[in-house]
Amino acid sequence: ESWYNDLIRLIRMFSRSHRKNLKACYIVHPTSLSRFVLWLLRAFTSEKTKGKIIDIYNWKLLRQYMDDAHIMLPEESKCYIAKAYTVVKVNAKGRRQTRMVKLTVNSILNIDPRTRGIRNEKLLAEIDTIECPPEKADILLIFDMEDHAYPLGYFKGTRSTPEDMRCRRYVC
């Protein structure tokens, strides 16, 4: 309910004339909740108003709408962009699994593309070695396992073997 109250308070901050003269509203890095709320609001607004609300998933796309000098975002927001790649992960047993790998500022997320759920996360600081054999289209990520009861970022309760936690093999 707090998001609803915040939304009402935000709407009331602007007079009707301000709301009517609004040219565009850019929502940078919308969350699932904000997208849902906007979806609900769009059901009750005019087509003209719907066209004024623009979701921006990559802050650099704001350059299409305004000059760089007018874009003032916190550094955390600029670092938010995650690059995603579809790969085949080969686990320690040799089983191939289609995965989507997202590279964030400080970690690698292993995502199941079917469920869109995060299977596990590995911090970039944990990577000891990255190997790319020239004769194969493989990427091997070898993690530093010292001083950890379980690897940082590892989700407890998964069925990973110790070898799978120490080394990840992706086929590109």
Side-chain angles (χ1 to χ4, degrees):
E1 290 184 1
S2 67
W3 61 267
Y4 177 76
N5 293 333
D6 291 342
L7 182 65
I8 296 299
R9 193 169 52 241
L10 179 67
I11 291 169
R12 288 183 181 157
M13 285 174 59
F14 299 101
S15 67
R16 184 180 185 284
S17 63
H18 283 109
R19 290 192 305 258
K20 192 132 177 88
N21 291 328
L22 180 70
K23 291 183 182 179
C25 176
Y26 303 101
I27 300 176
V28 181
H29 304 138
T31 63
S32 298
L33 178 62
S34 66
R35 286 193 312 259
F36 176 72
V37 170
L38 287 173
W39 178 77
L40 285 176
L41 287 176
R42 285 180 175 143
F44 301 103
T45 59
S46 68
E47 289 297 319
K48 187 175 177 182
T49 304
K50 289 176 191 176
K52 292 180 179 181
I53 300 171
I54 302 165
D55 294 341
I56 304 285
Y57 293 91
N58 180 337
W59 72 271
K60 292 180 182 179
L61 296 177
L62 280 171
R63 293 175 176 158
Q64 296 174 6
Y65 304 101
M66 62 185 73
D67 294 331
D68 280 351
H70 295 108
I71 299 174
M72 296 190 296
L73 293 172
E75 201 59 38
E76 298 85 31
S77 184
K78 291 181 180 180
C79 294
Y80 180 78
I81 302 165
K83 304 291 183 200
Y85 304 93
T86 301
V87 296
V88 174
K89 177 184 176 267
V90 181
N91 68 13
K93 296 176 184 175
R95 187 170 152 223
R96 293 174 170 264
Q97 305 161 323
T98 302
R99 291 283 185 252
M100 186 166 68
V101 175
K102 274 194 172 186
L103 302 175
T104 67
V105 174
N106 62 353
S107 67
I108 297 173
L109 301 175
N110 189 4
I111 299 169
D112 185 342
R114 195 170 28 95
T115 64
R116 296 277 188 204
I118 298 174
R119 300 297 299 160
N120 54 48
E121 175 183 25
K122 290 291 193 174
L123 299 177
L124 296 178
E126 294 177 1
I127 297 175
D128 185 41
T129 310
I130 299 175
E131 296 178 5
C132 301
E135 66 278 354
K136 296 182 179 178
D138 290 3
I139 297 174
L140 292 171
L141 302 177
I142 301 169
F143 301 98
D144 178 16
M145 299 289 288
E146 292 180 24
D147 301 326
H148 301 299
Y150 61 90
L152 296 173
Y154 169 70
F155 290 160
K156 292 181 184 178
T158 60
R159 293 175 283 167
S160 296
T161 64
E163 179 59 27
D164 200 31
M165 292 187 309
R166 191 188 76 71
C167 179
R168 291 282 168 84
R169 179 176 156 223
Y170 295 100
V171 178
C172 301

